[in-house]
C-alpha cells in the first residue's frame, strides 16, 4: 500500500509540473491561445517592401493601410484566436509590378510578432510583422 501512495504522489507531482510547464509556454498570441486587443493593435508591415505594404490596426477597431498600391480602410475585431477584418475597402488604382494581395484579407492569426493574413477559404495569402 505504501508503494501505491508513493507512486500516486509522484504521478500527481509530475502532472502538476507538466501543467505548469504547459501554462508557461502558452501566450496571449499564437499557440491557440485567445488573443487580446493589445496583441493586435498597432502597425503590421511587410519588411523591406517597396512600395510599403502595411496595416495599422487602431485600438478603436479601425483599420487603415496600403497594399503597396491602394489605400485600405475597414474595421477589425478579435474573435478568439483570430482577427476578423470587416468592411475592407480599397482604392482601385492600377499599379504595374505590385502584388496587391493584402486587399484580399478576410482574417488573420498572430504568433508572437508575426501576423499570417488569410483570404477566402482561410487560405494563407501573406504575412506581416509587428512594427516597433
Amino acid at each position: 500500500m505504501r508503494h501505491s501512495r508513493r507512486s500516486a504522489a509522484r504521478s500527481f507531482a509530475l502532472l502538476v509540473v507538466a501543467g505548469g510547464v504547459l501554462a508557461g509556454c502558452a501566450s496571449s498570441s499564437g499557440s491557440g491561445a485567445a488573443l487580446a486587443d493589445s496583441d493586435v493593435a498597432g502597425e503590421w508591415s511587410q519588411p523591406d517592401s517597396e512600395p510599403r505594404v502595411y496595416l495599422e490596426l487602431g485600438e478603436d477597431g479601425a483599420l487603415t493601410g496600403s497594399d503597396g498600391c491602394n489605400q485600405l480602410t475597414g474595421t477589425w475585431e478579435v474573435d478568439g484566436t483570430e482577427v476578423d477584418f470587416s468592411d475592407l475597402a480599397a482604392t482601385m488604382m492600377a499599379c504595374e509590378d505590385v502584388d496587391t494581395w493584402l486587399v484580399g484579407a478576410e482574417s488573420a492569426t498572430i504568433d508572437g510578432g508575426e501576423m499570417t493574413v488569410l483570404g477566402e477559404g482561410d487560405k494563407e495569402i501573406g504575412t506581416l510583422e509587428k512594427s516597433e
Side-chain angles (χ1 to χ4, degrees):
M1 176 86 98
R2 184 165 224 219
H3 182 68
S4 295
R5 285 185 185 173
R6 188 177 309 155
S7 179
R10 278 191 205 144
S11 295
F12 179 74
L14 183 60
L15 182 64
V16 169
V17 170
V21 169
L22 290 175
C25 290
S27 73
S28 59
S29 59
S31 304
L35 293 169
D37 288 354
S38 60
D39 296 323
V40 180
E43 184 176 292
W44 298 83
S45 63
Q46 190 174 44
D48 304 322
S49 59
E50 190 59 43
R52 191 165 169 255
V53 175
Y54 73 96
L55 288 179
E56 178 72 35
L57 304 178
E59 292 180 12
D60 61 353
L63 174 154
T64 58
S66 173
D67 64 7
C69 177
N70 296 290
Q71 297 301 307
L72 306 171
T73 62
T75 59
W76 68 273
E77 69 178 352
V78 170
D79 183 13
T81 60
E82 287 194 354
V83 180
D84 287 335
F85 301 122
S86 304
D87 305 320
L88 196 60
T91 57
M92 299 300 289
M93 296 178 57
C95 299
E96 289 186 35
D97 301 322
V98 176
D99 182 0
T100 58
W101 62 270
L102 193 53
V103 74
E106 292 186 2
S107 63
T109 59
I110 295 177
D111 188 4
E114 183 174 272
M115 174 185 286
T116 301
V117 181
L118 308 171
E120 187 175 342
D122 286 336
K123 180 181 176 189
E124 180 178 334
I125 59 174
T127 59
L128 300 172
E129 291 182 11
K130 185 88 176 220
S131 302
E132 297 296 320

